[in-house]
């Protein structure tokens, strides 16, 4: 599943680079950024529990798709932040998980799609589907290799910065 690994590597790299500039961003918050990068893919729960089954059980139309929109991501991140026991850490967890989730949405905005348009990211505000540059498919291995290389460079740079 190169797509999920790519998102994790991108969020890790972003978190580590942030840790060079922002004093409080340390290992737990880099991890929180990686967790945030997984939030939009919660929509894949539809593979285990189809929307039709939930809709039938509730008696109303139901879809998992909003989890992969900006609104769904914001609500999911706020739910995660609400689970944080330390009230002093909530703002930091909000920023890092939100940053990871946004990195996911930005990377997905670069995907190649059959229509040349992304998903309705701004739903329910608008159903507009922004055009995508179509740089890659989520099944292609090169984005994963690219972000693996970036992550390795970030680790090497981090060790050099820590040593000096």
């Amino acid at each position: 599943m190169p797509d999920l690994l790519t998102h994790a590597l991108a969020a890790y790299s972003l978190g580590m680079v942030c840790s060079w500039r922002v004093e409080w961003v340390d290992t737990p918050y880099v991890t929180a950024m990686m967790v945030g990068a997984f939030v939009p893919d919660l929509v894949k729960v539809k593979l285990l529990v189809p929307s039709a089954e939930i809709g039938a059980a509730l008696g109303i139309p139901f879809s998992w798709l909003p989890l992969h929109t900006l609104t769904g991501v914001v609500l999911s991140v706020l739910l995660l932040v609400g689970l944080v026991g330390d009230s002093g850490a909530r703002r930091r967890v909000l920023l890092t998980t939100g940053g990871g989730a946004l990195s996911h949405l930005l990377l997905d905005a670069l995907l190649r799609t059959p229509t040349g348009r992304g998903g309705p990211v701004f739903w329910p505000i608008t159903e507009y589907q922004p055009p995508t540059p179509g740089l890659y498919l989520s099944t292609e291995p090169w984005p994963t290799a690219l972000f693996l290389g970036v992550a390795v460079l970030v680790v090497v740079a981090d060790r050099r910065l820590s040593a000096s």
Side-chain angles (χ1 to χ4, degrees):
M1 188 173 213
D3 180 42
L4 197 55
L5 180 57
T6 302
H7 290 301
L9 290 168
Y12 172 78
S13 299
L14 179 63
M16 290 302 291
V17 169
C18 286
S19 76
W20 299 341
R21 291 288 193 185
V22 182
E23 187 176 316
W24 57 263
V25 177
D26 53 6
T27 304
Y29 294 110
V30 172
T31 303
M33 191 167 283
M34 293 171 67
V35 168
F38 297 146
V39 167
D41 274 344
L42 289 174
V43 72
K44 292 183 180 173
V45 76
K46 69 182 177 188
L47 299 172
L48 298 173
V49 185
S51 299
E53 287 183 18
I54 300 291
L58 295 174
I60 57 173
F62 182 85
S63 174
W64 292 108
L65 182 62
L67 288 174
H68 205 279
T69 65
L70 190 58
T71 305
V73 165
V74 168
L75 292 175
S76 299
V77 166
L78 288 174
L79 180 67
L80 284 172
V81 169
L83 297 174
V84 175
D86 180 9
S87 61
R90 285 191 185 127
R91 181 177 168 267
R92 294 175 178 183
V93 171
L94 174 67
L95 291 172
T96 52
T97 55
L102 285 177
S103 74
H104 181 117
L105 292 176
L106 289 173
L107 284 176
D108 279 1
L110 303 175
L111 285 170
R112 185 179 317 136
T113 62
T115 63
R117 298 202 164 271
V121 179
F122 303 109
W123 183 90
I125 298 165
T126 178
E127 290 191 25
Y128 174 70
Q129 295 176 294
T132 66
L135 297 181
Y136 62 94
L137 294 172
S138 63
T139 56
E140 290 179 335
W142 74 263
T144 304
L146 173 72
F147 280 102
L148 178 61
V150 169
V152 168
L153 288 174
V154 166
V155 167
V156 169
D158 186 62
R159 290 198 178 159
R160 287 192 179 180
L161 286 171
S162 297
S164 60

